[in-house]
Amino acid sequence: MSAAIEVVDALRLYGSKAAVDGVSLSLQAGRITCLLGPSGCGKSTLLRMIAGLEPLDGGRVLSEGEDISTLPPERRDIGLVFQDYALFPHLRIEDNVGFGLAHLTSAERRERVADLLSTVRLADRARSFPGELSGGEQQRVALVRALARAPRAVLLDEPFSGLDGHLQAEVRAAALAILKQSGAAVLIVTHDAGEAMQMADDLALMAQGRILQRGSPEACYRTPVSIAAARLLGEAEVIAARISGGVAHTVFGPLPADGLADGEAEVMLRPTALVPGSGVQASVSEARFVGQGWIADLTSGNTRVQVRLQERPGEVVNVSIDPGQAHIFA
């Protein structure tokens, strides 16, 4: 079966700089793909290229196998939700949601709009204007407007970044349920690793105009293809190692390194990868309480790392490496 949307070797140039550099990406119906990367990496540009708001300097965009690279946005069967929601301030909420439904009769349009607003618990705000709604309510209106025509794909550009923390979690959960129910292929652009891990069925990590890694959130987190990819998904410390006879020797103890050639290597450690209780002695230079444990600076030899511990450490602590939270790059 063809992907709902497939990007093939997409290229976007600004002068001599490639904002999007040979990117390929597939979006499957009924699945949520999160495109995660730092600001300026090209992820929003890629979204705009898929939507038809930005031209391609190379490559193609396919929809169910059909090349739509040169079609205008309104003919791509794609719904859009922008960071600022882009609601029409002079139109009532019901008219914002029904804006793209001119092909329906008035009765059909009213029924469709009413059903959509009911799904996001905003039926009573149908006659309101956008400026009379909260940020969370505006976000929900933008979402159902994008879904009104039952598009093949929905693209969301940093859709929750403008909301406060507690509201962000609430609106995100509601949006996730609506998007899943729609059956559309969904692409969410974000720079928030936690958000991407919570929402994604499929994850794509992007930096400097290129996709570094694709896969499930768990696979990308546990088996990153590079240190850069690892750091996109959260805190990561890097320490030196030497591989010999299938073992990576580090200042904090050995790690299994089956199948890796002897020689110098680097080990990526997640924040809780150093487990206290036994192993190598490390000195503690600072420890700070952060609500769900302690962040501590540990030093062994010439190596210093920051770790998370459940209990407050003393001046020294014995630690060993949990292999499940470490990854070796030979």
Side-chain angles (χ1 to χ4, degrees):
M1 180 183 295
S2 299
I5 298 291
E6 186 171 4
V7 182
V8 183
D9 297 329
L11 177 68
R12 181 63 175 131
L13 300 172
Y14 295 123
S16 60
K17 177 179 172 55
V20 174
D21 192 2
V23 166
S24 294
L25 184 67
S26 295
L27 308 179
Q28 301 294 334
R31 295 183 67 83
I32 294 176
T33 299
C34 283
L35 181 61
L36 173 67
S39 297
C41 75
K43 57 188 187 297
S44 291
T45 300
L46 178 60
L47 178 145
R48 292 173 61 84
M49 293 165 72
I50 297 171
L53 301 174
E54 192 88 25
L56 280 78
D57 293 312
R60 296 181 298 161
V61 177
L62 308 177
S63 177
E64 298 285 1
E66 176 189 354
D67 193 336
I68 61 170
S69 305
T70 59
L71 292 182
E74 64 273 16
R75 293 183 55 197
R76 295 198 179 197
D77 196 19
I78 291 174
L80 293 170
V81 180
F82 296 102
Q83 185 175 348
D84 61 358
Y85 315 135
L87 299 177
F88 301 114
H90 62 290
L91 295 182
R92 299 184 188 275
I93 296 307
E94 59 187 1
D95 295 321
N96 264 279
V97 175
F99 185 78
L101 300 178
H103 61 290
L104 300 180
T105 66
S106 296
E108 290 171 334
R109 186 161 58 251
R110 283 195 299 270
E111 182 179 2
R112 175 65 173 158
V113 169
D115 288 345
L116 288 165
L117 289 175
S118 293
T119 65
V120 290
R121 304 190 304 279
L122 288 175
D124 59 333
R125 306 307 300 272
R127 299 289 294 168
S128 301
F129 289 95
E132 299 172 330
L133 272 58
S134 69
E137 289 171 333
Q138 289 184 45
Q139 198 275 350
R140 282 182 277 161
V141 172
L143 180 60
V144 293
R145 184 179 67 178
L147 292 169
R149 291 175 60 90
R152 184 169 292 168
V154 180
L155 313 180
L156 301 92
D157 191 3
E158 302 276 7
F160 313 110
S161 61
L163 303 176
D164 293 335
H166 69 284
L167 183 60
Q168 194 176 74
E170 176 186 334
V171 174
R172 184 192 297 136
L176 184 62
I178 296 164
L179 290 167
K180 282 284 192 183
Q181 187 178 17
S182 75
V186 177
L187 177 67
I188 300 175
V189 163
T190 180
H191 66 274
D192 186 323
E195 180 172 280
M197 296 282 281
Q198 289 180 49
M199 298 197 73
D201 298 310
D202 305 303
L203 192 58
L205 306 179
M206 189 171 187
Q208 297 181 326
R210 297 182 178 183
I211 300 293
L212 303 181
Q213 185 171 2
R214 288 172 290 179
S216 70
E218 182 178 6
C220 291
Y221 187 85
R222 294 190 182 279
T223 55
V225 297
S226 66
I227 292 170
R231 284 178 167 154
L232 286 178
L233 288 174
E235 300 169 69
E237 296 280 359
V238 179
I239 62 174
R242 182 165 184 80
I243 299 174
S244 177
V247 177
H249 300 276
T250 81
V251 70
F252 292 108
L255 275 173
D258 298 336
L260 297 180
D262 291 355
E264 301 299 322
E266 291 181 311
V267 177
M268 183 279 296
L269 302 176
R270 289 300 182 188
T272 54
L274 291 179
V275 182
S278 62
V280 174
Q281 188 177 86
S283 62
V284 181
S285 58
E286 188 176 0
R288 299 172 299 285
F289 182 66
V290 292
Q292 296 182 335
W294 295 79
I295 293 179
D297 294 329
L298 305 187
T299 302
S300 180
N302 295 322
T303 301
R304 179 173 175 169
V305 296
Q306 192 173 85
V307 301
R308 288 180 178 264
L309 305 173
Q310 289 299 309
E311 304 293 334
R312 182 174 186 168
E315 293 184 356
V316 296
V317 61
N318 283 15
V319 293
S320 58
I321 300 176
D322 175 3
Q325 300 188 67
H327 194 76
I328 303 169
F329 295 97

